[in-house]
Amino acid sequence: MYLQDFKYYSPDSVMEVCQLLSKFGDSAKAYCGGTDILPKMKNGLLEPEVLISLKNIADLKKIEYVEGKGVVIGGACTHNDLVFSKLLEKRYSAVSKAAETMAANQIRHMGTVAGNIASAVPSADIPPILITLNASLTLVGTQGERTLPLEEVFIGPGKTVLANDEIITEIIIPDQKYTGSGYYKFALRKSGALAVVGVAATINVEEDMIKDVKIALGAVSPTPVRAKEAEKFLIGKKISNELLEEAGSIASGECKPISDFRASAEYRTDLVRIYTKRVLEQITKKENS
Ligand SMILES: Cc1cc2nc3c(=O)[nH]c(=O)nc-3n(C[C@H](O)[C@H](O)[C@H](O)COP(=O)(O)OP(=O)(O)OC[C@H]3O[C@@H](n4cnc5c(N)ncnc54)[C@H](O)[C@@H]3O)c2cc1C
């Protein structure tokens, strides 16, 4: 499995990346960790003539708090950057923990959050938790900059709304009031395996009353999907075992899984029921408040 020949560019500014992407069009690809793109190239599934690396752009490597914006994760931050970020641990530890469920240490060290998003694999681990935290993306292209809610970025397996010459420069988690947040993943091995089902939820509970909740499901639809009926059912109610159980059942009716070698659609649907209840139980425990 050899790589075909390709030209390699490693510019040190975002605009240069966008200009190169625009110049070479469909024959070019941005790349960062290479953990998605290189296996595809080795297997002949992708044959870009030009690879444009983002690794040289220092600005894309920061995780910082920006007043009025929130926590900003740069477009070249790796999963391990998330796992070891003190800022995330303090403000959004569920994001670090979700990153920790990803792959093996070597892949977490190379693979990036932006690459995980841009690849738009339905089983990707990071989008669901970020969606429940109202994350948005800054996209930069030759035509300028725009901000989009993460939830609106996915349009199908492997497909996003990103234009050819656009890259993700920032993932922004805005300030918000919440009392619990978490991601539960079911996979066929304890580590290094893709999600068969992933359920993320972020909740705001006051005196046992659910003020707000967002639930996002991964690996059970062509894109990550919100369980909006389950959310609606929960808001304004007092937490009880029966309530969370019912929310799990409602969420399981909101996914459209496929059957594949990892699991049948029926099994995945049932896992959504169980894992939605589990993640809600976990994030509403008193010690998490
Ligand atoms: C053995 C193995 C195990 C894995 N396990 C998991 C797992 O458990 N969970 C999981 O979710 N994923 C898993 N993955 C997938 C992969 O590691 C992630 O999706 C990773 O985050 C991709 O990031 P990257 O920087 O390596 O992307 P690359 O391979 O560099 O690029 C992937 C795609 O994203 C685009 N891209 C990259 N950066 C940007 C950017 N800033 N803006 C716009 N487009 C960009 C590229 O053009 C390309 O199309 C695994 C991969 C391997 C090889």
Side-chain angles (χ1 to χ4, degrees):
M1 281 190 247
Y2 294 103
L3 289 171
Q4 83 276 8
D5 287 344
F6 56 87
K7 279 195 182 131
Y8 181 82
Y9 291 86
S10 191
D12 44 28
S13 81
V14 168
M15 204 28 82
E16 277 176 87
V17 172
C18 301
Q19 280 161 354
L20 286 166
L21 285 171
S22 170
K23 178 176 165 190
F24 291 109
D26 283 345
S27 62
K29 275 275 181 196
Y31 114 105
C32 205
T35 62
D36 270 335
I37 210 171
L38 292 179
K40 280 189 197 149
M41 287 169 68
K42 283 187 178 173
N43 287 313
L45 301 170
L46 203 63
E47 297 188 338
E49 289 163 24
V50 180
L51 279 190
I52 304 158
S53 169
L54 307 178
K55 290 185 196 186
N56 246 357
I57 309 173
D59 266 2
L60 298 183
K61 290 185 182 146
K62 297 179 208 156
I63 301 181
E64 60 187 3
Y65 182 76
V66 179
E67 204 61 51
K69 210 166 179 182
V71 172
V72 177
I73 300 167
C77 286
T78 66
H79 299 290
N80 268 348
D81 288 335
L82 265 56
V83 171
F84 298 115
S85 161
K86 291 270 173 252
L87 178 61
L88 281 177
E89 188 187 323
K90 194 166 145 216
R91 288 184 180 252
Y92 302 110
S93 62
V95 176
S96 311
K97 288 191 184 125
E100 214 171 352
T101 71
M102 277 250 339
N105 197 37
Q106 294 96 321
I107 301 289
R108 291 197 293 271
H109 191 62
M110 301 289 292
T112 61
V113 190
N116 194 246
I117 293 169
S119 286
V121 176
S123 61
D125 285 305
I126 305 301
I129 186 68
L130 288 175
I131 286 171
T132 70
L133 287 162
N134 305 307
S136 59
L137 302 184
T138 305
L139 303 176
V140 177
T142 52
Q143 304 302 309
E145 182 177 309
R146 60 181 175 142
T147 306
L148 270 186
L150 176 58
E151 207 179 330
E152 293 174 18
V153 165
F154 305 102
I155 46 180
K159 294 200 176 88
T160 68
V161 298
L162 267 71
N164 248 359
D165 66 353
E166 268 182 331
I167 62 160
I168 301 165
T169 56
E170 294 177 339
I171 297 128
I172 304 159
I173 311 177
D175 290 341
Q176 56 209 290
K177 189 160 189 255
Y178 75 100
T179 51
S181 182
Y183 173 67
Y184 265 41
K185 163 179 179 176
F186 179 85
L188 299 180
R189 289 191 309 268
K190 266 205 168 152
S191 69
L194 295 179
V196 173
V197 162
V199 183
T202 296
I203 203 161
N204 187 25
V205 178
E206 283 172 26
E207 289 165 13
D208 278 350
M209 178 80 81
I210 299 174
K211 295 282 178 189
D212 195 16
V213 62
K214 285 202 170 61
I215 302 168
L217 313 173
V220 287
S221 283
T223 65
V225 65
R226 289 260 303 280
K228 289 192 179 174
E229 290 302 317
E231 293 171 1
K232 227 188 295 168
F233 168 77
L234 287 167
I235 291 172
K237 301 213 171 83
K238 283 221 171 234
I239 293 164
S240 69
N241 188 47
E242 295 69 35
L243 186 83
L244 303 189
E245 185 120 26
E246 181 62 19
S249 295
I250 297 171
S252 72
E254 297 189 75
C255 59
K256 294 187 187 70
I258 53 162
S259 294
D260 64 11
F261 67 95
R262 285 195 189 91
S264 67
E266 292 75 19
Y267 187 52
R268 282 193 160 100
T269 304
D270 207 38
L271 284 171
V272 169
R273 179 182 68 76
I274 294 163
Y275 275 69
T276 302
K277 186 186 175 209
R278 258 184 218 178
V279 75
L280 289 169
E281 259 172 3
Q282 178 63 33
I283 65 177
T284 52
K285 271 188 190 157
K286 283 269 186 280
E287 63 264 30
N288 283 343
S289 307

